Amino acid sequence: MERQEKKISTMTMTFMCFSTLWGFGNVLNGYVYFNGVQVIIPWICMFLLYFIPYALMVGELGSAFKHLGGGVTSWIQETSNAKLAYYAGWTYWAVHIAYIAGKGSGGLKALSWIIFRNADIYDNFKTIYVQLATIAILFFFCWMATRGLSPLKKLGALAGSSMFIMGILFIIMMYAAPVINPNSAFLKQDYSFASLLPKVDKNFLSNLSILVFAVGGIEKISPYVNKMNGDPAKEFPKTIMLSTLMVVISAIFGTIAMGMMFDVAEINANFDSYAANGAYWAFQKLGEYYHVGNLFLIIYALCNMIGQFSTLLISIDAPLRMLLEDPNANKFIPRKLLKKNDKGAYTRGIIMVACLSGLIAVVQMFGPGAATVMRQLTKLGGVTMPLRYLWVFVAYIALKKNRGELERGYSFIKNKGFGIFAGAWCFIITLACCIMGMWSPDKVQMGLNIATPAIIVILGLLLPIIRKSEDKKILA
């Protein structure tokens, strides 16, 4: 007798969505980059106008192509053609180049907090030495990836779960702190509508990509849409609404908790330091409120360090395998990149990762300090990582336009025209935020923001040409 597959309850799915989407870093980045509590209104707008339709589109795609496991490349293949599927796979891999560069720096920053318990020592190191150390870390983990080793993956999953739990505990403990320690100095904020209304200027528009990046990635849960209890057409929208409500509550109450700690004027006066160290200062202050010294800081920094380094290893290996092992995408990849070593690792692909991510670290060697490097990488990630979401909306538009006959347990929008409009709306928002995010008063930052996507596009166009030339030589 065949064993019946266990179904996922609505609440379980809700927590899966929430943990996939949210983390403490999102609260900090919103507070730092959007003038403190003024981020509350942008958060609400981003969830209502972008995240909810985005998530419901993902649900329909996952339901329509349940046999494919939810891969964006496969969605593109099924709704359009193999060439576009290659570009989707390439984009998903290529945007991780900047992400990988940031993970090395993030891991070193966490390690410095574990050792020194302050921001000053690490931030005052000469940038060239910090970047040389970052490059050494990058090359070491690239070497580990070539050996087919992944000892940090399970530890990284545990650290990631711990980080998620600590982010929730931070909010709860921060609200309890005035009761536990009423003599500590807590800041008061003005929550009138006039004070919360953000000023829409170049800085505001250029930072929107950070919010887009924060709420993206929901396509990871798409394979589970048809595995829910009851009718997915009813249960999945309920899940999205519940998880959105949880994230909004976390964003707003987390922002208010930050407002009790950090003065916006001080943040703006020392922006790079707060962007790089704000999370550590938050847990350090929380430890002071509860009279446990640096205990919370050390736990947070340790979890963050393990998480950063394990994510670095996974990000070198996993996206590369997804690209090179996909039968639709690898037809456009030069044959030399498809070669494996005796451990099953794509060594030449890993060398390409090391060169491209290392190039970003080299460019940053001449920056003014380690804190500035971290800020530049956060902004660069906000510009490049959301580019992969564009293919979700391309797939949804193509689904509505070309594959309307497909049966699915859940459908976000049944009307073809309105469905195409919704996909185009989210596509335009994502692309506009990424383009606006490229602007920066920092010339190095702006150069990285423009050059990195440009290199991604150029390489993505060149590789099929090289493969075509290789195939012609073989046929000749």
Side-chain angles (χ1 to χ4, degrees), residues 44-59 215 218 236-237 240-245 248 410 412 426:
I44 293 172
C45 292
M46 186 61 70
F47 287 120
L48 292 177
L49 301 177
Y50 181 78
F51 170 68
I52 290 177
Y54 167 25
L56 295 175
M57 286 179 214
V58 164
V215 300
I218 194 68
F236 186 70
I240 292 302
M241 296 305 171
L242 285 172
S243 60
T244 301
L245 180 63
V248 168
Y410 163 70
F412 167 39
C426 287

PDB file of all heavy atoms in Angstrom, residues 44-59 215 218 236-237 240-245 248 410 412 426:
ATOM      1  N   ILE A  44       5.034  49.384   4.809  1.00  0.00           N
ATOM      2  CA  ILE A  44       3.632  49.030   4.579  1.00  0.00           C
ATOM      3  C   ILE A  44       3.302  49.091   3.085  1.00  0.00           C
ATOM      4  O   ILE A  44       2.653  48.189   2.534  1.00  0.00           O
ATOM      5  CB  ILE A  44       2.698  49.959   5.387  1.00  0.00           C
ATOM      6  CG1 ILE A  44       2.878  49.704   6.893  1.00  0.00           C
ATOM      7  CG2 ILE A  44       1.241  49.763   4.990  1.00  0.00           C
ATOM      8  CD1 ILE A  44       2.155  50.693   7.789  1.00  0.00           C
ATOM      9  N   CYS A  45       3.758  50.155   2.421  1.00  0.00           N
ATOM     10  CA  CYS A  45       3.514  50.298   0.974  1.00  0.00           C
ATOM     11  C   CYS A  45       4.166  49.171   0.186  1.00  0.00           C
ATOM     12  O   CYS A  45       3.574  48.630  -0.761  1.00  0.00           O
ATOM     13  CB  CYS A  45       4.030  51.650   0.478  1.00  0.00           C
ATOM     14  SG  CYS A  45       3.100  53.068   1.094  1.00  0.00           S
ATOM     15  N   MET A  46       5.385  48.804   0.573  1.00  0.00           N
ATOM     16  CA  MET A  46       6.095  47.737  -0.139  1.00  0.00           C
ATOM     17  C   MET A  46       5.372  46.403  -0.011  1.00  0.00           C
ATOM     18  O   MET A  46       5.267  45.635  -0.971  1.00  0.00           O
ATOM     19  CB  MET A  46       7.528  47.630   0.402  1.00  0.00           C
ATOM     20  CG  MET A  46       8.420  46.658  -0.362  1.00  0.00           C
ATOM     21  SD  MET A  46       8.648  47.079  -2.108  1.00  0.00           S
ATOM     22  CE  MET A  46       9.663  48.568  -1.959  1.00  0.00           C
ATOM     23  N   PHE A  47       4.819  46.133   1.171  1.00  0.00           N
ATOM     24  CA  PHE A  47       4.101  44.874   1.364  1.00  0.00           C
ATOM     25  C   PHE A  47       2.778  44.862   0.583  1.00  0.00           C
ATOM     26  O   PHE A  47       2.446  43.869  -0.059  1.00  0.00           O
ATOM     27  CB  PHE A  47       3.833  44.631   2.854  1.00  0.00           C
ATOM     28  CG  PHE A  47       5.059  44.245   3.618  1.00  0.00           C
ATOM     29  CD1 PHE A  47       5.516  45.009   4.684  1.00  0.00           C
ATOM     30  CD2 PHE A  47       5.770  43.115   3.274  1.00  0.00           C
ATOM     31  CE1 PHE A  47       6.652  44.650   5.387  1.00  0.00           C
ATOM     32  CE2 PHE A  47       6.910  42.744   3.971  1.00  0.00           C
ATOM     33  CZ  PHE A  47       7.355  43.516   5.028  1.00  0.00           C
ATOM     34  N   LEU A  48       2.048  45.959   0.629  1.00  0.00           N
ATOM     35  CA  LEU A  48       0.736  45.992  -0.025  1.00  0.00           C
ATOM     36  C   LEU A  48       0.838  46.030  -1.547  1.00  0.00           C
ATOM     37  O   LEU A  48       0.099  45.328  -2.247  1.00  0.00           O
ATOM     38  CB  LEU A  48      -0.058  47.213   0.464  1.00  0.00           C
ATOM     39  CG  LEU A  48      -0.517  47.208   1.925  1.00  0.00           C
ATOM     40  CD1 LEU A  48      -1.216  48.506   2.263  1.00  0.00           C
ATOM     41  CD2 LEU A  48      -1.441  46.019   2.183  1.00  0.00           C
ATOM     42  N   LEU A  49       1.745  46.862  -2.071  1.00  0.00           N
ATOM     43  CA  LEU A  49       1.806  47.109  -3.515  1.00  0.00           C
ATOM     44  C   LEU A  49       2.741  46.171  -4.260  1.00  0.00           C
ATOM     45  O   LEU A  49       2.668  46.076  -5.489  1.00  0.00           O
ATOM     46  CB  LEU A  49       2.224  48.564  -3.783  1.00  0.00           C
ATOM     47  CG  LEU A  49       1.314  49.642  -3.200  1.00  0.00           C
ATOM     48  CD1 LEU A  49       1.877  51.023  -3.487  1.00  0.00           C
ATOM     49  CD2 LEU A  49      -0.096  49.520  -3.775  1.00  0.00           C
ATOM     50  N   TYR A  50       3.620  45.474  -3.521  1.00  0.00           N
ATOM     51  CA  TYR A  50       4.617  44.648  -4.207  1.00  0.00           C
ATOM     52  C   TYR A  50       4.630  43.199  -3.711  1.00  0.00           C
ATOM     53  O   TYR A  50       4.431  42.273  -4.482  1.00  0.00           O
ATOM     54  CB  TYR A  50       5.999  45.279  -4.034  1.00  0.00           C
ATOM     55  CG  TYR A  50       7.108  44.525  -4.731  1.00  0.00           C
ATOM     56  CD1 TYR A  50       7.293  44.635  -6.101  1.00  0.00           C
ATOM     57  CD2 TYR A  50       7.981  43.704  -4.016  1.00  0.00           C
ATOM     58  CE1 TYR A  50       8.308  43.941  -6.751  1.00  0.00           C
ATOM     59  CE2 TYR A  50       9.003  43.009  -4.649  1.00  0.00           C
ATOM     60  CZ  TYR A  50       9.161  43.133  -6.015  1.00  0.00           C
ATOM     61  OH  TYR A  50      10.169  42.452  -6.647  1.00  0.00           O
ATOM     62  N   PHE A  51       4.843  43.029  -2.409  1.00  0.00           N
ATOM     63  CA  PHE A  51       5.056  41.674  -1.908  1.00  0.00           C
ATOM     64  C   PHE A  51       3.834  40.779  -2.069  1.00  0.00           C
ATOM     65  O   PHE A  51       3.950  39.625  -2.507  1.00  0.00           O
ATOM     66  CB  PHE A  51       5.482  41.701  -0.440  1.00  0.00           C
ATOM     67  CG  PHE A  51       5.469  40.329   0.178  1.00  0.00           C
ATOM     68  CD1 PHE A  51       6.385  39.373  -0.227  1.00  0.00           C
ATOM     69  CD2 PHE A  51       4.520  39.974   1.122  1.00  0.00           C
ATOM     70  CE1 PHE A  51       6.368  38.094   0.315  1.00  0.00           C
ATOM     71  CE2 PHE A  51       4.485  38.702   1.668  1.00  0.00           C
ATOM     72  CZ  PHE A  51       5.423  37.768   1.257  1.00  0.00           C
ATOM     73  N   ILE A  52       2.649  41.262  -1.706  1.00  0.00           N
ATOM     74  CA  ILE A  52       1.453  40.409  -1.761  1.00  0.00           C
ATOM     75  C   ILE A  52       1.184  39.919  -3.188  1.00  0.00           C
ATOM     76  O   ILE A  52       1.027  38.708  -3.403  1.00  0.00           O
ATOM     77  CB  ILE A  52       0.228  41.129  -1.148  1.00  0.00           C
ATOM     78  CG1 ILE A  52       0.407  41.260   0.370  1.00  0.00           C
ATOM     79  CG2 ILE A  52      -1.057  40.375  -1.463  1.00  0.00           C
ATOM     80  CD1 ILE A  52      -0.708  42.011   1.070  1.00  0.00           C
ATOM     81  N   PRO A  53       1.125  40.816  -4.205  1.00  0.00           N
ATOM     82  CA  PRO A  53       0.931  40.272  -5.563  1.00  0.00           C
ATOM     83  C   PRO A  53       2.067  39.370  -6.019  1.00  0.00           C
ATOM     84  O   PRO A  53       1.839  38.349  -6.685  1.00  0.00           O
ATOM     85  CB  PRO A  53       0.823  41.532  -6.443  1.00  0.00           C
ATOM     86  CG  PRO A  53       1.342  42.648  -5.624  1.00  0.00           C
ATOM     87  CD  PRO A  53       1.107  42.291  -4.206  1.00  0.00           C
ATOM     88  N   TYR A  54       3.302  39.710  -5.656  1.00  0.00           N
ATOM     89  CA  TYR A  54       4.474  38.895  -6.000  1.00  0.00           C
ATOM     90  C   TYR A  54       4.329  37.485  -5.431  1.00  0.00           C
ATOM     91  O   TYR A  54       4.489  36.476  -6.137  1.00  0.00           O
ATOM     92  CB  TYR A  54       5.703  39.618  -5.453  1.00  0.00           C
ATOM     93  CG  TYR A  54       7.020  38.866  -5.401  1.00  0.00           C
ATOM     94  CD1 TYR A  54       7.312  37.796  -6.229  1.00  0.00           C
ATOM     95  CD2 TYR A  54       8.006  39.271  -4.497  1.00  0.00           C
ATOM     96  CE1 TYR A  54       8.534  37.147  -6.170  1.00  0.00           C
ATOM     97  CE2 TYR A  54       9.232  38.630  -4.436  1.00  0.00           C
ATOM     98  CZ  TYR A  54       9.488  37.556  -5.263  1.00  0.00           C
ATOM     99  OH  TYR A  54      10.700  36.920  -5.202  1.00  0.00           O
ATOM    100  N   ALA A  55       3.984  37.391  -4.160  1.00  0.00           N
ATOM    101  CA  ALA A  55       3.864  36.091  -3.508  1.00  0.00           C
ATOM    102  C   ALA A  55       2.720  35.264  -4.097  1.00  0.00           C
ATOM    103  O   ALA A  55       2.847  34.045  -4.286  1.00  0.00           O
ATOM    104  CB  ALA A  55       3.653  36.290  -2.004  1.00  0.00           C
ATOM    105  N   LEU A  56       1.602  35.913  -4.411  1.00  0.00           N
ATOM    106  CA  LEU A  56       0.464  35.189  -4.971  1.00  0.00           C
ATOM    107  C   LEU A  56       0.751  34.712  -6.399  1.00  0.00           C
ATOM    108  O   LEU A  56       0.261  33.657  -6.813  1.00  0.00           O
ATOM    109  CB  LEU A  56      -0.789  36.075  -4.928  1.00  0.00           C
ATOM    110  CG  LEU A  56      -1.277  36.420  -3.502  1.00  0.00           C
ATOM    111  CD1 LEU A  56      -2.448  37.385  -3.553  1.00  0.00           C
ATOM    112  CD2 LEU A  56      -1.663  35.165  -2.721  1.00  0.00           C
ATOM    113  N   MET A  57       1.550  35.466  -7.156  1.00  0.00           N
ATOM    114  CA  MET A  57       1.985  35.002  -8.482  1.00  0.00           C
ATOM    115  C   MET A  57       2.858  33.760  -8.353  1.00  0.00           C
ATOM    116  O   MET A  57       2.737  32.803  -9.134  1.00  0.00           O
ATOM    117  CB  MET A  57       2.784  36.104  -9.191  1.00  0.00           C
ATOM    118  CG  MET A  57       1.962  37.248  -9.720  1.00  0.00           C
ATOM    119  SD  MET A  57       3.045  38.471 -10.485  1.00  0.00           S
ATOM    120  CE  MET A  57       2.184  39.969 -10.075  1.00  0.00           C
ATOM    121  N   VAL A  58       3.770  33.784  -7.394  1.00  0.00           N
ATOM    122  CA  VAL A  58       4.639  32.626  -7.148  1.00  0.00           C
ATOM    123  C   VAL A  58       3.789  31.400  -6.813  1.00  0.00           C
ATOM    124  O   VAL A  58       4.070  30.288  -7.284  1.00  0.00           O
ATOM    125  CB  VAL A  58       5.635  32.927  -6.006  1.00  0.00           C
ATOM    126  CG1 VAL A  58       6.279  31.654  -5.472  1.00  0.00           C
ATOM    127  CG2 VAL A  58       6.718  33.886  -6.491  1.00  0.00           C
ATOM    128  N   GLY A  59       2.744  31.600  -6.027  1.00  0.00           N
ATOM    129  CA  GLY A  59       1.854  30.498  -5.681  1.00  0.00           C
ATOM    130  C   GLY A  59       1.211  29.885  -6.910  1.00  0.00           C
ATOM    131  O   GLY A  59       1.122  28.655  -7.034  1.00  0.00           O
ATOM    132  N   VAL A 215      12.125  41.765   0.843  1.00  0.00           N
ATOM    133  CA  VAL A 215      10.862  41.010   0.765  1.00  0.00           C
ATOM    134  C   VAL A 215      10.867  39.990  -0.367  1.00  0.00           C
ATOM    135  O   VAL A 215       9.852  39.336  -0.618  1.00  0.00           O
ATOM    136  CB  VAL A 215       9.650  41.962   0.600  1.00  0.00           C
ATOM    137  CG1 VAL A 215       9.551  42.908   1.772  1.00  0.00           C
ATOM    138  CG2 VAL A 215       9.720  42.738  -0.714  1.00  0.00           C
ATOM    139  N   ILE A 218      10.443  34.665  -2.113  1.00  0.00           N
ATOM    140  CA  ILE A 218       9.330  33.822  -1.696  1.00  0.00           C
ATOM    141  C   ILE A 218       9.151  32.616  -2.630  1.00  0.00           C
ATOM    142  O   ILE A 218       8.487  31.634  -2.284  1.00  0.00           O
ATOM    143  CB  ILE A 218       8.018  34.649  -1.629  1.00  0.00           C
ATOM    144  CG1 ILE A 218       6.914  33.905  -0.881  1.00  0.00           C
ATOM    145  CG2 ILE A 218       7.548  35.031  -3.015  1.00  0.00           C
ATOM    146  CD1 ILE A 218       7.161  33.727   0.575  1.00  0.00           C
ATOM    147  N   PHE A 236      -3.729  28.909   0.321  1.00  0.00           N
ATOM    148  CA  PHE A 236      -2.479  29.622   0.041  1.00  0.00           C
ATOM    149  C   PHE A 236      -2.629  31.141   0.174  1.00  0.00           C
ATOM    150  O   PHE A 236      -1.771  31.780   0.805  1.00  0.00           O
ATOM    151  CB  PHE A 236      -1.933  29.260  -1.342  1.00  0.00           C
ATOM    152  CG  PHE A 236      -0.577  29.870  -1.612  1.00  0.00           C
ATOM    153  CD1 PHE A 236       0.553  29.418  -0.936  1.00  0.00           C
ATOM    154  CD2 PHE A 236      -0.433  30.920  -2.497  1.00  0.00           C
ATOM    155  CE1 PHE A 236       1.797  29.989  -1.153  1.00  0.00           C
ATOM    156  CE2 PHE A 236       0.808  31.494  -2.727  1.00  0.00           C
ATOM    157  CZ  PHE A 236       1.918  31.028  -2.054  1.00  0.00           C
ATOM    158  N   PRO A 237      -3.691  31.768  -0.388  1.00  0.00           N
ATOM    159  CA  PRO A 237      -3.855  33.212  -0.146  1.00  0.00           C
ATOM    160  C   PRO A 237      -3.953  33.550   1.336  1.00  0.00           C
ATOM    161  O   PRO A 237      -3.436  34.574   1.782  1.00  0.00           O
ATOM    162  CB  PRO A 237      -5.161  33.542  -0.878  1.00  0.00           C
ATOM    163  CG  PRO A 237      -5.300  32.495  -1.910  1.00  0.00           C
ATOM    164  CD  PRO A 237      -4.718  31.253  -1.299  1.00  0.00           C
ATOM    165  N   ILE A 240      -0.452  33.605   2.706  1.00  0.00           N
ATOM    166  CA  ILE A 240       0.281  34.822   2.316  1.00  0.00           C
ATOM    167  C   ILE A 240      -0.180  36.006   3.149  1.00  0.00           C
ATOM    168  O   ILE A 240       0.645  36.817   3.612  1.00  0.00           O
ATOM    169  CB  ILE A 240       0.087  35.101   0.811  1.00  0.00           C
ATOM    170  CG1 ILE A 240       0.781  34.021  -0.016  1.00  0.00           C
ATOM    171  CG2 ILE A 240       0.634  36.481   0.439  1.00  0.00           C
ATOM    172  CD1 ILE A 240       2.265  33.878   0.255  1.00  0.00           C
ATOM    173  N   MET A 241      -1.477  36.122   3.379  1.00  0.00           N
ATOM    174  CA  MET A 241      -1.989  37.242   4.174  1.00  0.00           C
ATOM    175  C   MET A 241      -1.500  37.143   5.622  1.00  0.00           C
ATOM    176  O   MET A 241      -1.106  38.153   6.224  1.00  0.00           O
ATOM    177  CB  MET A 241      -3.527  37.273   4.133  1.00  0.00           C
ATOM    178  CG  MET A 241      -4.101  37.532   2.757  1.00  0.00           C
ATOM    179  SD  MET A 241      -3.452  39.047   1.992  1.00  0.00           S
ATOM    180  CE  MET A 241      -4.117  38.896   0.338  1.00  0.00           C
ATOM    181  N   LEU A 242      -1.506  35.940   6.177  1.00  0.00           N
ATOM    182  CA  LEU A 242      -1.047  35.757   7.558  1.00  0.00           C
ATOM    183  C   LEU A 242       0.451  36.038   7.687  1.00  0.00           C
ATOM    184  O   LEU A 242       0.884  36.725   8.621  1.00  0.00           O
ATOM    185  CB  LEU A 242      -1.346  34.334   8.032  1.00  0.00           C
ATOM    186  CG  LEU A 242      -2.802  34.006   8.373  1.00  0.00           C
ATOM    187  CD1 LEU A 242      -2.972  32.510   8.627  1.00  0.00           C
ATOM    188  CD2 LEU A 242      -3.260  34.804   9.593  1.00  0.00           C
ATOM    189  N   SER A 243       1.252  35.510   6.747  1.00  0.00           N
ATOM    190  CA  SER A 243       2.699  35.738   6.814  1.00  0.00           C
ATOM    191  C   SER A 243       3.030  37.209   6.571  1.00  0.00           C
ATOM    192  O   SER A 243       3.940  37.755   7.201  1.00  0.00           O
ATOM    193  CB  SER A 243       3.432  34.849   5.805  1.00  0.00           C
ATOM    194  OG  SER A 243       3.017  35.104   4.492  1.00  0.00           O
ATOM    195  N   THR A 244       2.277  37.855   5.676  1.00  0.00           N
ATOM    196  CA  THR A 244       2.480  39.297   5.451  1.00  0.00           C
ATOM    197  C   THR A 244       2.169  40.075   6.722  1.00  0.00           C
ATOM    198  O   THR A 244       2.921  40.997   7.091  1.00  0.00           O
ATOM    199  CB  THR A 244       1.585  39.796   4.302  1.00  0.00           C
ATOM    200  OG1 THR A 244       1.893  39.072   3.120  1.00  0.00           O
ATOM    201  CG2 THR A 244       1.806  41.286   4.048  1.00  0.00           C
ATOM    202  N   LEU A 245       1.078  39.719   7.389  1.00  0.00           N
ATOM    203  CA  LEU A 245       0.722  40.390   8.645  1.00  0.00           C
ATOM    204  C   LEU A 245       1.829  40.205   9.676  1.00  0.00           C
ATOM    205  O   LEU A 245       2.224  41.157  10.369  1.00  0.00           O
ATOM    206  CB  LEU A 245      -0.596  39.831   9.169  1.00  0.00           C
ATOM    207  CG  LEU A 245      -1.113  40.429  10.485  1.00  0.00           C
ATOM    208  CD1 LEU A 245      -1.405  41.924  10.315  1.00  0.00           C
ATOM    209  CD2 LEU A 245      -2.369  39.699  10.946  1.00  0.00           C
ATOM    210  N   VAL A 248       4.805  42.389   8.642  1.00  0.00           N
ATOM    211  CA  VAL A 248       4.509  43.810   8.884  1.00  0.00           C
ATOM    212  C   VAL A 248       4.621  44.123  10.367  1.00  0.00           C
ATOM    213  O   VAL A 248       5.202  45.140  10.760  1.00  0.00           O
ATOM    214  CB  VAL A 248       3.093  44.158   8.356  1.00  0.00           C
ATOM    215  CG1 VAL A 248       2.664  45.537   8.857  1.00  0.00           C
ATOM    216  CG2 VAL A 248       3.083  44.151   6.831  1.00  0.00           C
ATOM    217  N   TYR A 410      -4.350  26.341  -7.652  1.00  0.00           N
ATOM    218  CA  TYR A 410      -4.504  27.708  -7.155  1.00  0.00           C
ATOM    219  C   TYR A 410      -4.246  28.694  -8.282  1.00  0.00           C
ATOM    220  O   TYR A 410      -3.307  28.532  -9.058  1.00  0.00           O
ATOM    221  CB  TYR A 410      -3.535  27.980  -6.004  1.00  0.00           C
ATOM    222  CG  TYR A 410      -3.350  29.458  -5.740  1.00  0.00           C
ATOM    223  CD1 TYR A 410      -4.385  30.193  -5.190  1.00  0.00           C
ATOM    224  CD2 TYR A 410      -2.179  30.117  -6.105  1.00  0.00           C
ATOM    225  CE1 TYR A 410      -4.242  31.557  -4.994  1.00  0.00           C
ATOM    226  CE2 TYR A 410      -2.032  31.469  -5.905  1.00  0.00           C
ATOM    227  CZ  TYR A 410      -3.065  32.185  -5.349  1.00  0.00           C
ATOM    228  OH  TYR A 410      -2.951  33.530  -5.174  1.00  0.00           O
ATOM    229  N   PHE A 412      -4.044  32.971  -8.852  1.00  0.00           N
ATOM    230  CA  PHE A 412      -4.085  34.309  -8.256  1.00  0.00           C
ATOM    231  C   PHE A 412      -5.082  35.186  -9.005  1.00  0.00           C
ATOM    232  O   PHE A 412      -5.985  35.778  -8.414  1.00  0.00           O
ATOM    233  CB  PHE A 412      -2.674  34.912  -8.288  1.00  0.00           C
ATOM    234  CG  PHE A 412      -2.602  36.392  -8.003  1.00  0.00           C
ATOM    235  CD1 PHE A 412      -3.396  36.982  -7.032  1.00  0.00           C
ATOM    236  CD2 PHE A 412      -1.706  37.196  -8.713  1.00  0.00           C
ATOM    237  CE1 PHE A 412      -3.312  38.350  -6.770  1.00  0.00           C
ATOM    238  CE2 PHE A 412      -1.624  38.557  -8.460  1.00  0.00           C
ATOM    239  CZ  PHE A 412      -2.424  39.140  -7.493  1.00  0.00           C
ATOM    240  N   CYS A 426       4.805  44.406 -11.201  1.00  0.00           N
ATOM    241  CA  CYS A 426       5.884  43.990 -10.298  1.00  0.00           C
ATOM    242  C   CYS A 426       7.240  44.001 -11.009  1.00  0.00           C
ATOM    243  O   CYS A 426       8.261  44.325 -10.397  1.00  0.00           O
ATOM    244  CB  CYS A 426       5.593  42.593  -9.742  1.00  0.00           C
ATOM    245  SG  CYS A 426       4.279  42.566  -8.504  1.00  0.00           S
TER     246      CYS A 426
END
